[in-house]
Amino acid sequence: MRKKLMLFFICLVMIPILTIYSVAINIFYESTKKDLQALFSNHIHGIGKNADQFFTDALDLTTYPLMETNLKAFLSKPKDDENYFALTSNANSILLSMPYGFSNGIRGISLLSRDQASINVGISLKISKEDLEAARAGASRPYWDYRDVSSLQDTPMEAYSHITLTRLLRNPSNLSEELGFIKIAMSRKQLIDTLMSDRINHEVSYFIIDENNKLLVDTSSGQSYANLKGDISYPHLLQLASSSANTQINGQYFISAHKIERTPFVLYSIVKPNILTIIKETLLKGLSLTVVLVLLFTLLLSFTFSQIITAPLVKLGKRMKSISNEDFSVRIDVKRNDEIAVLANNFNRMAQRLDFLYKEVYMGNLKLQQAQLSALQTQINPHFLYNTLDTIYWMSEMGDTKNVSSMVSNMSKMMRMTLSPGNSDMVTLAEELEHLSCYIHIQRIRYGDQFVFEIDCPEHLKSYYVLRLLLQPLVENALLHGLKNSTHGIVKVRIYENENTLVYEVMNNGTPVDVTEINRLLEVEGSGMRGFALRNIKERIALKNGKGFHLGCFLRDGFSVFQITQKLRVEEADAREITLADYNSEQTKGLKR
């Protein structure tokens, strides 16, 4: 009790303080995360604009030859044209003086006419056969070519320093006419410098990814983000970039995405702000100090109060233990004038009431319940006897005197098991099965091979104690009602254990039972003969086993199944009529109600 009181005081003082402190910490921490989310969302938008401009310049440049007269003439004129040399010279000069020049990362331009003549400015840039095929396959859409950065981490920068763009040029006046091809090389380093020039802190890493999850740009310096793999796939990033809040939080990582205009690429950034770690550590240190101080205070307070309260309660607890041991005569001497005294007086009244209920109410209920069970037992015996004698009568009418003696012998054995004075309502499962076997033997003599009987019961269950005369009425019900119109029927008896429950299942493959009608008969009050045997079984199960055990009916795999559940009684002591433990449990529930 003292420990509980101390725990109570600790919780009483600490929980409100720690709750308020924790809520304040959480609000502050979440507010900081939202502010950072907005910051990085605006940042990726600004960086994305720079990336848009970088790629837009290159894409615009690919259409310039179609608008410039000299370049268009170079692309369309054949090599044998008398002005071909002049056209080529003019086109080369125009190419060098184009409005974009080699600014914003463009490092080389190559033009290939439809007559396979080429001019090149800037870095040496060849339009390969693969470039031509890919550009034609994309019609007028640009074909991007680049090396995957993630596969070249240990390769010198020169090996993958450029991103190329190849495009098929068609005659604007006749789109079915090919004029040639243009290929542009863009500096990957210039692109990285463009991204890095405006970053807001040194923890941000930028990436550009295509629809095949190939990396065009990676500024992470080899830092691993394997734990974020699902959040940095192309489909997820594309969805994030199209959302209103283009920044998501994964733990302490902020992931921001931007779809680069007119390209299949997505720019995204990953950052783990140090400020979050600093805030978290600072708040945790403050919380730890608060916990220690509050704990010391509450320990002192709880120890003092528990000393005052626990002494009389310990005494009261000992008296309650006597009550739990069924000593209802115990009382407490009341010498105080406070709440403990009120509790002691209530305890004395409770003990007095329990003593009365035990002596008066319980004994009366016990006798009444046992009388009801015995009455049901005596009802099933004559019912069974009438049906058995009727069976022998029909055998005699049929003139089968050879089997009469066998039937009478089995009936005699059954009568000894059911009608002998002093028989308990509980028997072993082996005895119940022996009684059923006698009945089945009589029915086999009567019906011959018309019906097949099967009994499935594990050997270890036969020593358990069960209510007598539950199986035979159900088998009889299967024959008289389920198989009355059958010439080749099957009756199966299956007995098994399910946790702490013993289950009977009696099945027949005759006319399917009307489950609704059976349930109605089981609920009908009264003593009518229709459904008498089933109601008798249900009431006996309820009286002996209590709630949760029942007689049920259902259809399964072409069989009508009647199922009984009852308590699993392993030893003879478990089979007594009504135990004191049952009484204490039931009566205590009654008092609570």
Side-chain angles (χ1 to χ4, degrees), residues 379-392 394 411 414-415 418 432 435-444 446-447 451-453 455 469-485 490-493 505-508 510 518 529 531-534 536-537 540 560 562 564:
Q379 287 177 3
I380 197 65
N381 288 336
H383 182 75
F384 160 73
L385 179 59
Y386 300 152
N387 290 331
T388 305
L389 290 175
D390 186 59
T391 300
I392 295 175
W394 281 108
M411 187 186 73
M414 294 174 68
M415 292 305 99
T418 57
E432 177 75 352
H435 178 274
L436 178 63
S437 297
C438 291
Y439 176 79
I440 290 174
H441 183 77
I442 292 174
Q443 299 306 322
R444 279 178 175 158
R446 178 180 178 184
Y447 294 105
F451 303 123
V452 176
F453 296 92
I455 299 177
L469 286 179
L470 294 183
L471 285 174
Q472 182 271 331
L474 291 182
V475 173
E476 182 179 6
N477 184 74
L479 290 174
L480 295 180
H481 301 288
L483 301 175
K484 65 179 180 179
N485 297 322
I490 300 175
V491 178
K492 294 183 180 181
V493 178
E505 289 185 350
V506 178
M507 303 170 276
N508 72 86
I518 293 297
M529 292 305 296
F532 161 77
L534 298 180
N536 186 289
I537 291 172
R540 291 173 64 210
S560 298
F562 285 83
I564 289 174

Side-chain angles (χ1 to χ4, degrees), residues 183-412:
K183 184 174 183 179
I184 298 175
M186 297 175 289
S187 171
R188 199 189 304 249
K189 183 179 183 302
Q190 182 69 32
L191 176 58
I192 293 173
D193 291 341
T194 300
L195 299 177
M196 300 291 283
S197 62
D198 291 330
R199 67 175 178 173
I200 53 179
N201 64 46
H202 296 292
E203 288 81 22
V204 182
S205 297
Y206 299 101
F207 307 86
I208 296 180
I209 193 172
D210 70 2
E211 65 269 28
N212 297 315
N213 290 316
K214 288 174 59 177
L215 279 171
L216 283 74
V217 170
D218 179 355
T219 68
S220 63
S221 302
Q223 185 176 353
S224 175
Y225 295 106
N227 57 323
L228 302 175
K229 189 173 181 181
D231 290 332
I232 56 177
S233 64
Y234 183 84
H236 183 84
L237 291 169
L238 188 62
Q239 183 179 8
L240 179 63
S242 62
S243 64
S244 57
N246 56 359
T247 298
Q248 73 172 35
I249 303 173
N250 185 325
Q252 291 188 328
Y253 290 95
F254 289 76
I255 304 173
S256 305
H258 173 83
K259 174 67 169 61
I260 299 177
E261 294 180 356
R262 300 173 62 186
T263 74
F265 308 134
V266 173
L267 165 69
Y268 69 96
S269 66
I270 301 177
V271 60
K272 182 180 180 182
N274 288 334
I275 187 173
L276 286 180
T277 304
I278 295 171
I279 291 173
K280 202 167 189 178
E281 290 177 353
T282 304
L283 295 178
L284 286 176
K285 288 179 181 178
L287 178 61
S288 300
L289 180 60
T290 303
V291 169
V292 172
L293 294 177
V294 173
L295 182 60
L296 291 175
F297 171 75
T298 52
L299 282 175
L300 178 62
L301 184 66
S302 62
F303 180 79
T304 303
F305 277 93
S306 64
Q307 281 289 101
I308 298 172
I309 297 174
T310 54
L313 291 180
V314 168
K315 184 178 180 181
L316 179 60
K318 292 180 180 179
R319 298 296 187 274
M320 287 185 174
K321 187 175 181 181
S322 298
I323 289 288
S324 67
N325 292 329
E326 301 161 13
D327 181 8
F328 301 117
S329 62
V330 67
R331 300 291 185 273
I332 297 177
D333 294 331
V334 181
K335 298 180 179 179
R336 302 168 62 100
N337 189 22
D338 54 12
E339 287 77 7
I340 301 297
V342 174
L343 183 60
N345 286 325
N346 288 334
F347 171 82
N348 289 338
R349 285 192 289 272
M350 179 190 70
Q352 184 178 1
R353 180 65 175 167
L354 287 174
D355 192 26
F356 168 77
L357 290 174
Y358 177 74
K359 292 177 180 178
E360 301 295 332
V361 180
Y362 163 63
M363 298 308 296
N365 287 344
L366 178 60
K367 291 177 182 179
L368 177 60
Q369 197 165 357
Q370 188 59 47
Q372 291 174 339
L373 194 59
S374 299
L376 289 171
Q377 178 69 32
T378 57
Q379 287 177 3
I380 197 65
N381 288 336
H383 182 75
F384 160 73
L385 179 59
Y386 300 152
N387 290 331
T388 305
L389 290 175
D390 186 59
T391 300
I392 295 175
Y393 167 76
W394 281 108
M395 289 300 300
S396 300
E397 285 291 316
M398 294 167 62
D400 190 2
T401 58
K402 181 179 179 180
N403 291 317
V404 168
S405 61
S406 177
M407 292 180 66
V408 171
S409 174
N410 280 279
M411 187 186 73
S412 175

Side-chain angles (χ1 to χ4, degrees), residues 21 25 110 182 223 276 380 386 454 461 468 535:
Y21 193 83
I25 289 175
S110 178
I182 184 172
Q223 185 176 353
L276 286 180
I380 197 65
Y386 300 152
E454 298 179 6
L461 296 179
R468 66 190 306 141
R535 286 196 302 273

Side-chain angles (χ1 to χ4, degrees), residues 42-43 74 155-156 320 448 453:
N42 292 331
H43 176 67
F74 165 75
T155 305
M320 287 185 174
F453 296 92

Side-chain angles (χ1 to χ4, degrees), residues 172-187:
S173 303
N174 183 9
L175 294 178
S176 62
E177 179 186 0
E178 294 184 2
L179 292 182
F181 296 86
I182 184 172
K183 184 174 183 179
I184 298 175
M186 297 175 289
S187 171

